[in-house]
């Protein structure tokens, strides 16, 4: 039986993921490029593009990742995941104000979209946003807003390892050593 084009694209998506997990990023890129040749569904194409951007990010090819993410935002400006991913790439380049803009945009989109909740920005990705917010705001002297963002994470996701570790570090940087010790001990 002949496989459909999108089924073949899904196979290339899986193969690329296997290469990605072994940190063979060039091979992953080749597999996903081949998947893009076969894919007919827009959502599957977006997934392949997102994976390509992620592999560029992991391979520290930030300008290539940034270029792909800007294209994704042009195609889907209301997708919070694209803004979150671009914020991450910009943060790695220490372009904190630009990163902050895209993290804010991602959080705003999550709050306003009825079918999208904060789970799209889960775990490490949301916490990286909090850390960048905290670092930038701390450097500019407005640490209260950074505190508020950490507490928002806590309300949404609880006292997980990420929160405990990063909030403890942030509290220590603010001179709140008892609070820092409490959360770092939890981590």
């Amino acid at each position: 039986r002949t496989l459909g084009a999108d089924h073949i694209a899904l196979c290339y998506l899986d193969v690329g993921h296997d290469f990605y997990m072994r940190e063979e990023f060039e091979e992953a890129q080749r597999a996903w490029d081949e998947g893009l040749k076969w894919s007919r569904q827009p959502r599957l194409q977006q997934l392949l593009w997102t994976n390509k951007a992620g592999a560029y990010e992991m391979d520290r090819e930030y300008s290539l990742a940034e270029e792909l993410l800007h294209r994704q935002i042009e195609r889907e400006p209301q997708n919070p995941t694209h803004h979150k991913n671009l914020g991450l790439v910009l943060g790695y380049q220490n372009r904190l104000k630009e990163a902050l803009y895209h993290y804010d945009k991602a959080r705003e989109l999550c709050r306003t979209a009825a079918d999208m909740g904060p789970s799209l920005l889960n775990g490490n990705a949301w916490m990286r946003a909090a850390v960048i917010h905290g670092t930038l705001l701390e450097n500019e002297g407005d640490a209260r807003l950074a505190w508020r963002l950490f507490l928002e994470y806590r309300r949404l996701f609880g006292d997980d390892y990420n929160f405990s570790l990063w909030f403890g570090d942030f509290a220590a940087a603010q001179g709140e050593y008892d609070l820092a010790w409490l959360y770092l001990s939890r981590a």
Side-chain angles (χ1 to χ4, degrees):
R1 189 168 82 159
T2 305
L3 294 175
D6 284 320
H7 187 83
I8 293 170
L10 280 171
C11 291
Y12 279 111
L13 178 68
D14 287 343
V15 168
H17 185 261
D18 289 342
F19 282 122
Y20 177 86
M21 295 305 291
R22 292 192 308 256
E23 297 184 10
E24 296 177 30
F25 302 120
E26 288 182 30
E27 292 299 322
Q29 294 289 7
R30 280 195 268 285
W32 292 327
D33 284 338
E34 195 61 35
L36 285 165
K37 292 177 188 175
W38 287 94
S39 177
R40 303 294 177 257
Q41 293 179 18
R43 286 306 304 154
L44 180 54
Q45 291 167 357
Q46 283 296 100
L47 184 57
L48 287 158
W49 284 115
T50 297
N51 284 354
K52 285 181 64 60
Y56 282 135
E57 170 202 322
M58 293 300 293
D59 206 17
R60 296 187 174 144
E61 296 284 348
Y62 299 127
S63 61
L64 294 172
E66 185 179 344
E67 180 183 325
L68 284 179
L69 291 166
H70 278 294
R71 276 195 251 155
Q72 286 183 296
I73 289 171
E74 286 175 18
R75 288 184 203 117
E76 291 184 307
Q78 300 303 308
N79 187 320
T81 302
H82 301 328
H83 288 280
K84 181 265 301 173
N85 289 340
L86 183 55
L88 182 63
V89 168
L90 294 167
Y92 283 140
Q93 298 174 76
N94 207 33
R95 293 162 55 190
L96 298 183
K97 287 189 180 194
E98 292 171 86
L100 187 63
Y101 169 81
H102 286 283
Y103 283 128
D104 282 342
K105 183 71 176 174
R107 287 191 359 262
E108 173 190 320
L109 289 169
C110 279
R111 287 187 186 111
T112 59
D115 61 337
M116 295 181 188
S119 62
L120 279 174
L121 300 175
N122 59 14
N124 289 332
W126 183 281
M127 188 49 63
R128 284 188 202 112
V131 169
I132 287 178
H133 271 272
T135 301
L136 183 63
L137 296 172
E138 179 184 341
N139 291 341
E140 293 183 358
D142 188 2
R144 289 175 299 179
L145 193 52
W147 281 99
R148 202 169 5 173
L149 183 61
F150 278 106
L151 294 176
E152 180 180 341
Y153 175 94
R154 183 181 188 198
R155 181 179 54 80
L156 294 170
F157 300 105
D159 283 354
D160 65 2
Y161 169 79
N162 291 312
F163 175 79
S164 297
L165 178 65
W166 290 106
F167 187 70
D169 283 348
F170 183 73
Q174 299 300 306
E176 297 289 337
Y177 300 115
D178 290 339
L179 189 61
W181 179 251
L182 173 70
Y183 282 94
L184 290 172
S185 296
R186 285 184 188 176

